Amino acid sequence: MVLNSTVSNFILGGYLQVGNLRYLYFMLTAFLYIVMVVLNTSLIVVICMNRSLHEPMYMFLCSLFVNELYGSSGLFPFLLTQILSDIHTVSASLCYLQVYCLYTYGNVEFVNLVVMSYDRYLAICCPLQYNTRMTCNKAVMLIGVIWSYSCGIFLIKLSLTIRLPLCRNIINGLYCLNYPVVKLACSDTKVNNIYGIVTTALFFLFTLVPILFSYLKILHICFSGSKQTRQKAVSTCTPHLVSLMNFAVGGCFQIFQSRFDMTSVPGVLQIILALYFVIIQPLLNPVMYGLQMSNIRKIYTHLLC
């Protein structure tokens, strides 16, 4: 894969001049990153080290926590260096690498949540067949498909972006995203736009349908089943629904910022919207699942004590 030679680096125009406050923002950002790493790593260790948690549901959670580490590590070390820097530039190769990390993180996150919704559907609606229809081997295979598909599918889109000759190098953001880079091209981007629209439409079609199907079935069971069934459905589905809705909100913020003109929006609000996607999800998931899933909470509390 050959990088475009017309631009060797990009200038990030989303940073505000904050003077000595940069050190405060650096410490806050570093603290958030450390909390993300500690929370997600500790839950990965808890799931891997306890044989009682070697079940499909917890294996999907482990994949989710690994992805949080992957996504946050693809951005936060970069943010920390930019906060302390006077000139906010990034090399073209590092920019494309960051684009790849963030988009594959988003793909893995969403597809993982889709598979988890199907897993919850089997556990609640087909409890007698669950152990045969969702085994640990099938869970490992699905996790492999999630990661290989998400990491492979974006290579085509990134290749289409890299081939473009760029006439400008100013990105109005805190970090690199695919569409803002495409907008810097001085050649026709019709192929990129068509490919992006088609793949995005197909992606949401094949992910939203399983989610809607799973939760419609779960709702039907909740309304027609016993009180115990409703309690089980609420306790196991609440963290997943909260995570799913939060991710959808963060994804919408990213799409709005990259696709629409945000010059009229205050700079501070732009920064909040840009970081929502990569801060809230890695913090929310371990807290939600660690507190709501009773098996994880008991083991985690025991280890801390």
Side-chain angles (χ1 to χ4, degrees), residues 235-300:
S235 63
T236 58
C237 292
T238 298
H240 181 264
L241 280 173
V242 172
S243 178
L244 192 60
M245 288 187 290
N246 178 74
F247 183 76
V249 170
C252 288
F253 287 162
Q254 289 293 80
I255 292 172
F256 291 150
Q257 281 205 299
S258 62
R259 294 278 174 175
F260 300 105
D261 184 14
M262 302 291 287
T263 54
S264 60
V265 179
V268 175
L269 182 57
Q270 288 187 43
I271 292 174
I272 293 172
L273 295 179
L275 294 179
Y276 183 97
F277 179 72
V278 288
I279 289 181
I280 303 301
Q281 194 76 358
L283 290 174
L284 178 69
N285 278 341
V287 172
M288 282 295 300
Y289 288 106
L291 292 176
Q292 291 292 326
M293 308 295 284
S294 58
N295 289 345
I296 294 179
R297 186 173 66 248
K298 289 176 183 177
I299 296 172
Y300 200 75

Side-chain angles (χ1 to χ4, degrees), residues 193-263:
N193 294 332
I194 293 174
Y195 180 82
I197 292 171
V198 171
T199 54
T200 302
L202 292 175
F203 178 78
F204 282 109
L205 175 65
F206 288 109
T207 52
L208 290 179
V209 169
I211 291 174
L212 292 174
F213 170 81
S214 299
Y215 276 101
L216 286 174
K217 290 289 186 180
I218 291 172
L219 282 174
H220 176 72
I221 292 292
C222 289
F223 285 118
S224 61
S226 63
K227 181 180 179 181
Q228 184 180 3
T229 303
R230 286 195 295 271
Q231 289 176 342
K232 178 185 177 182
V234 170
S235 63
T236 58
C237 292
T238 298
H240 181 264
L241 280 173
V242 172
S243 178
L244 192 60
M245 288 187 290
N246 178 74
F247 183 76
V249 170
C252 288
F253 287 162
Q254 289 293 80
I255 292 172
F256 291 150
Q257 281 205 299
S258 62
R259 294 278 174 175
F260 300 105
D261 184 14
M262 302 291 287
T263 54

Side-chain angles (χ1 to χ4, degrees), residues 92-275:
S93 56
L94 182 58
C95 184
Y96 290 126
L97 177 62
Q98 188 175 73
V99 169
Y100 181 78
C101 288
L102 292 178
Y103 277 82
T104 50
Y105 158 74
N107 279 0
V108 170
E109 188 83 5
F110 198 64
V111 179
N112 206 119
L113 289 171
V114 171
V115 174
M116 288 173 66
S117 69
Y118 177 70
D119 176 73
R120 292 301 81 212
Y121 154 72
L122 290 178
I124 295 169
C125 301
C126 311
L128 298 180
Q129 295 87 29
Y130 178 76
N131 290 330
T132 56
R133 295 177 66 176
M134 184 59 75
T135 62
C136 288
N137 288 335
K138 287 183 180 178
V140 171
M141 183 188 70
L142 284 171
I143 291 171
V145 170
I146 290 169
W147 281 85
S148 58
Y149 164 78
S150 301
C151 292
I153 195 67
F154 188 71
L155 281 175
I156 301 174
K157 184 181 287 189
L158 185 62
S159 300
L160 291 174
T161 301
I162 290 175
R163 72 177 178 83
L164 294 172
L166 306 179
C167 296
R168 293 166 292 155
N169 68 337
I170 299 177
I171 298 174
N172 188 25
L174 301 176
Y175 47 85
C176 294
L177 291 173
N178 186 64
Y179 191 68
V181 174
V182 171
K183 290 194 294 186
L184 302 177
C186 48
S187 63
D188 185 23
T189 60
K190 186 181 295 183
V191 174
N192 297 70
N193 294 332
I194 293 174
Y195 180 82
I197 292 171
V198 171
T199 54
T200 302
L202 292 175
F203 178 78
F204 282 109
L205 175 65
F206 288 109
T207 52
L208 290 179
V209 169
I211 291 174
L212 292 174
F213 170 81
S214 299
Y215 276 101
L216 286 174
K217 290 289 186 180
I218 291 172
L219 282 174
H220 176 72
I221 292 292
C222 289
F223 285 118
S224 61
S226 63
K227 181 180 179 181
Q228 184 180 3
T229 303
R230 286 195 295 271
Q231 289 176 342
K232 178 185 177 182
V234 170
S235 63
T236 58
C237 292
T238 298
H240 181 264
L241 280 173
V242 172
S243 178
L244 192 60
M245 288 187 290
N246 178 74
F247 183 76
V249 170
C252 288
F253 287 162
Q254 289 293 80
I255 292 172
F256 291 150
Q257 281 205 299
S258 62
R259 294 278 174 175
F260 300 105
D261 184 14
M262 302 291 287
T263 54
S264 60
V265 179
V268 175
L269 182 57
Q270 288 187 43
I271 292 174
I272 293 172
L273 295 179
L275 294 179

